[in-house]
């Protein structure tokens, strides 16, 4: 067996080990309850319910919140959740649907990075990039701890966007469509990631400024890609814009991770690797030193040294881009720019680490490729695997996280406590989804009349009066109006209007 063949086997063995450890939470009968677990389970059950009603491209989950409905798909694209919601609608229990989704996210992020990196570097370096990317602390934190499903879908397609950029920058302009495809998939994954990836592309262009001054004409391919992306994704962004123009949003709120500079730096650094030291900044009293994080920093340092010896200019460029993105995460200029928009409360410092993680992965791979000594390559690979193991271990739910429990055949998530193993739907009243001041029951203009609200098998809202309503009218608790038509029991159309 040749040395190269043995190296490949060792890398694949390490990958299988990392994957096995990272999906340990999915092997138990419990559900790891991440930060956004409830919301994304609501999305899955909402889509599945609409599938059963015959709506295969729903824009409103009409069955959630006691029939009030919730228009999440207007702002949060669901396209890549359809296969999982389809399995849920066919009878797969919710917890196994969710666990399958988490498993696919880990696998897809690895093979996306591996496939894309292999087109512009040799196979083992691409493998190193894929390990550094998919088993990074930030990506596993997103998947297991934050349960940021939308952003994790964006993580899968970010390497495709970078590949599209490289194709144009390297003169292979006939493949500009790769950039359009990657950005379109980002749009259908997570709208907030579109903002971050666009900023990432601007940073790439700035650091390749000399190249673009000499090939200014190739900028037209970015325009082509943008136009194709807009055309392919218009099914999402046109309804979203319509709703943003018509609706009123509550904006404001503090989206910073910390009030002081040291706290901001620490908050950003501790999302890159398990904290190797503890800083008492007043923002995280539960933190404690985790030596496993040292493997990540040692791997980065070794990669920088190896790359700098072979390609000093490339090493400075990658480090410069990383520094700029990190400064943006700490100084948080996006929070100021978006302070008066519906995105005001989004913690962008977290999300800026998504392109940061991609660049770190490329740095690792290029440092591995540039290393002339086999021992240095082996050491870098070992440090990277140790970093991945520590990332998986410290993001595996322990007593810091809540687990789902079997109880009464229901999934009660309002207090983030009990959950059932074979549940197929979420409770109708989850208080975190909607403002509490929205009425949940129909209101009749004639207070002497009693009104009930039900739904039939076709999901039509049925309003019943206890006596002849006369000229009375009724307000129905609908969050979104999609052109409902009111008819009486004889089939005659009744007048109706949109309320507040």
């Amino acid at each position: 067996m040749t040395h190269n063949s043995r190296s490949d086997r060792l890398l694949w063995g390490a990958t299988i080990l990392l994957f096995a450890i990272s999906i340990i939470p999915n092997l138990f009968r419990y559900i790891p309850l991440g930060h956004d677990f409830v919301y994304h389970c609501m999305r899955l059950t909402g889509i599945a319910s609409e599938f059963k009603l015959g709506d295969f491209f729903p824009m409103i989950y009409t069955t959630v919140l006691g029939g009030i409905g919730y228009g999440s798909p207007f702002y949060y694209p669901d396209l890549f959740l359809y296969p999982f919601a389809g399995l849920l609608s066919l009878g797969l229990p919710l917890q196994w649907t969710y666990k399958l989704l988490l498993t696919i996210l880990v696998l897809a992020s690895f093979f996306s990075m591996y496939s894309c990196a292999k087109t512009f570097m040799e196979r083992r370096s691409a493998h190193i990039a894929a390990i550094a990317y998919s088993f990074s602390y930030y990506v596993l934190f997103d998947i297991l701890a934050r349960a940021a499903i939308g952003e994790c879908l964006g993580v899968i397609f970010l390497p495709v966007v970078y590949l599209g950029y490289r194709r144009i920058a390297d003169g292979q302009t006939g493949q500009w469509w790769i950039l359009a495809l990657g950005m379109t998939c980002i749009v259908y994954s997570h709208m907030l990631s579109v903002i971050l990836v666009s900023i990432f592309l601007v940073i790439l262009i700035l650091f390749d400024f000399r190249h673009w001054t000499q090939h200014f004409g190739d900028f037209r391919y970015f325009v082509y890609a943008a136009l194709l992306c807009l055309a392919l994704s218009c099914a999402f962004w046109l309804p979203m814009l319509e709703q943003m123009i018509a609706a009123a949003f509550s904006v404001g709120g503090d989206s910073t991770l910390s009030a002081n500079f040291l706290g901001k730096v620490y908050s950003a650094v501790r999302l890159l690797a398990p904290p190797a030291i503890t800083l008492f900044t007043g923002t995280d009293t539960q933190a404690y030193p985790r030596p496993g994080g040292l493997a990540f920093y040692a791997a980065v340092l070794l990669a920088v040294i190896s790359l700098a010896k072979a390609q000093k200019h490339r090493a400075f460029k990658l480090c410069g881009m990383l520094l700029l993105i990190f400064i943006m995460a700490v100084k948080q200029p996006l929070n100021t720019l978006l302070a008066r928009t519906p995105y005001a409360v989004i913690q962008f410092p977290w999300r800026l680490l998504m392109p940061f993680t991609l660049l770190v992965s490329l740095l690792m791979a290029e440092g591995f490729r540039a290393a002339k000594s086999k021992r240095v390559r082996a050491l870098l690979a070992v440090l990277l695997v140790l970093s991945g193991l520590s990332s998986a271990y410290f993001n595996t739910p322990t007593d810091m996280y809540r687990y789902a429990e079997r109880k009464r055949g229901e999934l009660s998530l309002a207090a983030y406590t009990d959950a059932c193993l074979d549940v197929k739907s979420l409770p109708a009243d989850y208080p975190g989804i909607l403002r509490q001041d929205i009425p949940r029951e129909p209101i009749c203009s004639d207070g002497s009349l009693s009104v009930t609200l039900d739904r039939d098998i076709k999901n039509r809202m049925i309003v019943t009066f206890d006596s002849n309503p006369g000229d009375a009218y009724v307000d129905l608790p609908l969050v979104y109006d999609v052109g409902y038509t009111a008819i009486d029991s004889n089939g005659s159309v009744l007048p109706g209007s949109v309320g507040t």
Side-chain angles (χ1 to χ4, degrees):
M1 184 169 60
T2 66
H3 174 75
N4 288 341
S5 176
R6 184 176 63 182
S7 299
D8 288 338
R9 289 175 182 270
L10 288 173
L11 279 176
W12 281 111
T15 301
I16 294 172
L17 175 64
L18 286 168
F19 176 73
I21 292 179
S22 66
I23 64 167
I24 279 179
N26 297 343
L27 304 180
F28 298 112
R29 67 189 186 95
Y30 302 116
I31 304 175
L33 296 181
H35 301 173
D36 298 334
F37 167 79
V38 175
Y39 173 67
H40 294 295
C41 281
M42 183 274 292
R43 294 174 67 200
L44 288 169
T45 55
I47 300 167
S49 296
E50 297 305 315
F51 282 179
K52 293 178 181 179
L53 294 169
D55 184 0
F56 297 105
F57 299 97
M59 295 302 292
I60 298 177
Y61 310 142
T62 58
T63 59
V64 304
L65 298 171
I68 293 177
Y70 189 60
S72 175
F74 281 118
Y75 309 100
Y76 218 124
D78 288 336
L79 180 63
F80 294 113
L81 292 186
Y82 283 2
F84 302 96
L87 293 175
L88 182 60
S89 68
L90 293 174
L92 185 67
L94 175 61
Q95 83 283 359
W96 289 113
T97 301
Y98 181 74
K99 290 178 179 182
L100 176 63
L101 173 58
L102 297 188
T103 303
I104 294 298
L105 288 174
V106 177
L107 277 174
S109 64
F110 174 86
F111 284 106
S112 172
M113 186 64 181
Y114 179 69
S115 301
C116 292
K118 198 166 61 170
T119 63
F120 55 83
M121 60 176 61
E122 54 94 15
R123 186 179 64 256
R124 281 184 298 280
S125 297
H127 202 142
I128 289 293
I131 291 176
Y133 186 66
S134 57
F135 300 110
S136 65
Y137 189 81
Y138 179 72
V139 170
L140 292 182
F141 177 71
D142 256 7
I143 295 174
L144 297 177
R146 289 186 59 211
I149 302 302
E151 185 173 335
C152 292
L153 288 169
V155 164
I156 295 172
F157 300 109
L158 180 59
V160 181
V161 173
Y162 180 76
L163 175 61
Y165 172 83
R166 282 200 62 132
R167 283 291 187 258
I168 298 175
D170 292 342
Q172 303 178 48
T173 52
Q175 298 183 29
W176 61 266
W177 57 269
I178 296 177
L179 178 60
L181 178 63
M183 286 301 296
T184 300
C185 291
I186 294 284
V187 171
Y188 282 114
S189 300
H190 190 230
M191 192 59 198
L192 294 174
S193 293
V194 175
I195 302 174
L196 300 177
V197 174
S198 299
I199 294 172
F200 178 49
L201 287 173
V202 172
I203 292 174
L204 290 174
I205 292 172
L206 288 176
F207 276 82
D208 286 332
F209 180 76
R210 178 178 297 180
H211 169 83
W212 293 116
T213 57
Q214 299 172 355
H215 301 83
F216 186 77
D218 288 348
F219 260 104
R220 67 182 184 273
Y221 296 105
F222 290 109
V223 177
Y224 298 162
L227 292 175
L228 181 57
C229 174
L230 289 173
L232 294 175
S233 61
C234 65
F236 169 72
W237 63 262
L238 281 177
M240 182 193 71
L241 286 181
E242 180 186 36
Q243 288 297 316
M244 292 184 71
I245 292 172
F249 295 92
S250 298
V251 298
D254 184 11
S255 59
T256 60
L257 294 180
S258 173
N260 60 75
F261 179 77
L262 182 60
K264 291 176 182 178
V265 172
Y266 180 55
S267 296
V269 168
R270 68 189 296 268
L271 294 177
L272 298 176
I277 59 173
T278 299
L279 297 180
F280 297 99
T281 61
T283 62
D284 188 358
T285 57
Q286 302 299 319
Y288 54 91
R290 297 170 180 175
L294 292 175
F296 170 79
Y297 299 111
V300 170
L301 179 61
L302 184 58
V304 170
I305 294 174
S306 298
L307 182 59
K309 288 181 178 180
Q311 295 176 276
K312 185 177 296 184
H313 175 73
R314 179 61 177 168
F316 278 126
K317 179 185 288 187
L318 282 173
C319 291
M321 286 190 285
L322 288 170
L323 181 60
L324 177 58
I325 294 176
F326 185 79
I327 290 174
M328 292 181 68
V330 172
K331 298 299 291 183
Q332 305 172 8
L334 288 174
N335 290 342
T336 301
L337 293 174
L338 301 170
R340 302 309 303 170
T341 74
Y343 302 115
V345 297
I346 302 300
Q347 292 176 318
F348 272 96
W350 280 351
R351 290 164 171 83
L352 279 169
L353 294 179
M354 181 174 72
F356 187 97
T357 300
L358 176 78
L359 289 177
V360 168
S361 304
L362 293 174
L363 175 63
M364 299 275 200
E366 294 188 25
F368 178 85
R369 180 176 57 182
K372 297 180 180 180
S373 168
K374 293 180 180 179
R375 290 184 178 181
V376 173
R377 284 191 170 197
L379 178 59
L380 180 56
V382 169
L383 288 173
L384 188 57
V385 171
L386 289 176
S387 175
L389 289 172
S390 65
S391 297
Y393 175 77
F394 285 111
N395 280 307
T396 299
T398 61
D399 55 357
M400 294 186 296
Y401 298 96
R402 308 266 177 92
Y403 284 90
E405 296 177 358
R406 183 189 298 272
K407 186 176 182 181
R408 297 188 307 277
E410 297 178 354
L411 188 58
S412 174
L413 296 170
Y416 254 39
T417 51
D418 305 322
C420 140
L421 300 178
D422 301 315
V423 70
K424 298 177 182 177
S425 62
L426 286 171
D429 282 335
Y430 172 60
I433 298 295
L434 209 56
R435 294 200 325 267
Q436 293 300 296
D437 57 348
I438 294 180
R440 304 299 180 93
E441 301 295 335
I443 301 174
C444 183
S445 60
D446 186 346
S448 64
L449 297 175
S450 177
V451 183
T452 58
L453 178 63
D454 298 295
R455 287 183 180 269
D456 63 11
I457 194 172
K458 295 183 178 180
N459 202 32
R460 293 177 300 189
M461 304 183 73
I462 308 297
V463 179
T464 306
F465 295 88
D466 62 348
S467 59
N468 191 333
D471 295 329
Y473 63 88
V474 62
D475 287 330
L476 299 180
L478 296 171
V479 177
Y480 295 92
D481 177 74
V482 291
Y484 292 101
T485 300
I487 59 175
D488 61 17
S489 57
N490 297 320
S492 301
V493 177
L494 301 175
S497 62
V498 181
T500 58

